[in-house]
Amino acid sequence: MKNWKMREIVVMSVISVVFAVIYLLSTHASNIAAGFFGRMSYEPIYGIWFIVSVIAAYIIQKPGAALVSEIIAAFVECLLGNPSGPMVILIGIAQGIGAEAVFLATRWRIYTLPVLLLSGMGSSVTSFIYDLFVSGYSVLNPGLLTVMLLIRLVSGALLAGLLGKAISDALAYTGVLNGMALGKELKKKKKQVNQDAGI
């Protein structure tokens, strides 16, 4: 996190803590659903656990934002009493690596919607690999595994990528992110629009 400003670190930390609470609530809700409908019920909402990596990366636009934000969220979630205990930190690392890898592929220069969608899907892939080896998914039927992965990929794209962008853009339009990369980018766009309109 070299060359990070203190404000960026604070913003990322606050976002991570907020989503740690959301993650924990989602965990409890999904555990109840799984008790009634089985393991498959996790997959449609799995993307919600990747969203902080997309939001932090999109807002700050610096190397490490996706990975570190997921680790912070997982650590706080552990402290708040996640049923998985310290293992949730490993899960957070796996999820963060998937998202960070996509931004790495662009050299942390491109934060368009397709890239954000892919980052959510990247977390889907790495978290699924984690589940194969740690959560016992490897014993499941290959056909079922394929369906689960496809659902998780869609969930990652929509709940992390698309929703993450929507939340970030909404925050940027309020002006609270003016000091962040996303806020500065929005100000430039507004200025350009005004110039084009002759204002």
Side-chain angles (χ1 to χ4, degrees):
M1 295 176 64
K2 189 178 181 181
N3 300 323
W4 278 54
K5 297 177 182 176
M6 180 57 67
R7 185 176 180 182
E8 292 170 334
I9 295 173
V10 171
V11 168
M12 181 185 66
S13 299
V14 170
I15 292 171
S16 298
V17 170
V18 169
F19 278 95
V21 176
I22 294 173
Y23 284 4
L24 184 60
L25 293 175
S26 299
T27 296
H28 289 314
S30 60
N31 284 343
I32 292 172
F36 288 100
F37 306 109
R39 189 174 297 184
M40 182 68 82
S41 61
Y42 287 106
E43 301 305 327
I45 66 166
Y46 222 104
I48 200 67
W49 287 292
F50 315 147
I51 194 171
V52 74
S53 60
V54 173
I55 291 177
Y58 183 41
I59 288 174
I60 298 170
Q61 300 185 11
K62 285 188 176 180
L67 176 59
V68 175
S69 62
E70 279 288 352
I71 293 174
I72 293 174
F75 181 75
V76 173
E77 196 181 352
C78 176
L79 294 179
L80 292 175
N82 183 283
S84 298
M87 289 294 290
V88 74
I89 298 174
L90 294 180
I91 297 170
I93 292 172
Q95 294 170 175
I97 287 174
E100 192 72 47
V102 173
F103 296 116
L104 168 62
T106 72
R107 296 187 179 183
W108 297 281
R109 293 176 182 170
I110 304 174
Y111 292 87
T112 58
L113 177 58
V115 171
L116 298 181
L117 295 177
L118 286 172
S119 69
M121 295 172 76
S123 291
S124 297
V125 171
T126 51
S127 65
F128 202 81
I129 292 171
Y130 174 92
D131 285 334
L132 279 175
F133 293 98
V134 180
S135 302
Y137 277 30
S138 59
V139 302
L140 299 177
N141 180 279
L144 177 60
L145 283 175
T146 301
V147 172
M148 291 171 72
L149 175 58
L150 290 174
I151 295 174
R152 189 177 300 193
L153 286 168
V154 173
S155 181
L158 297 181
L159 293 184
L162 186 61
L163 182 59
K165 184 181 189 304
I167 291 172
S168 302
D169 287 341
L171 286 173
Y173 275 106
T174 67
V176 298
L177 301 177
N178 284 346
M180 302 293 105
L182 179 59
K184 293 175 183 177
E185 184 180 296
L186 180 61
K187 287 175 69 176
K188 286 182 181 178
K189 288 180 180 178
K190 286 182 177 179
K191 184 177 180 181
Q192 186 62 50
V193 169
N194 291 336
Q195 287 177 347
D196 292 342
I199 299 175

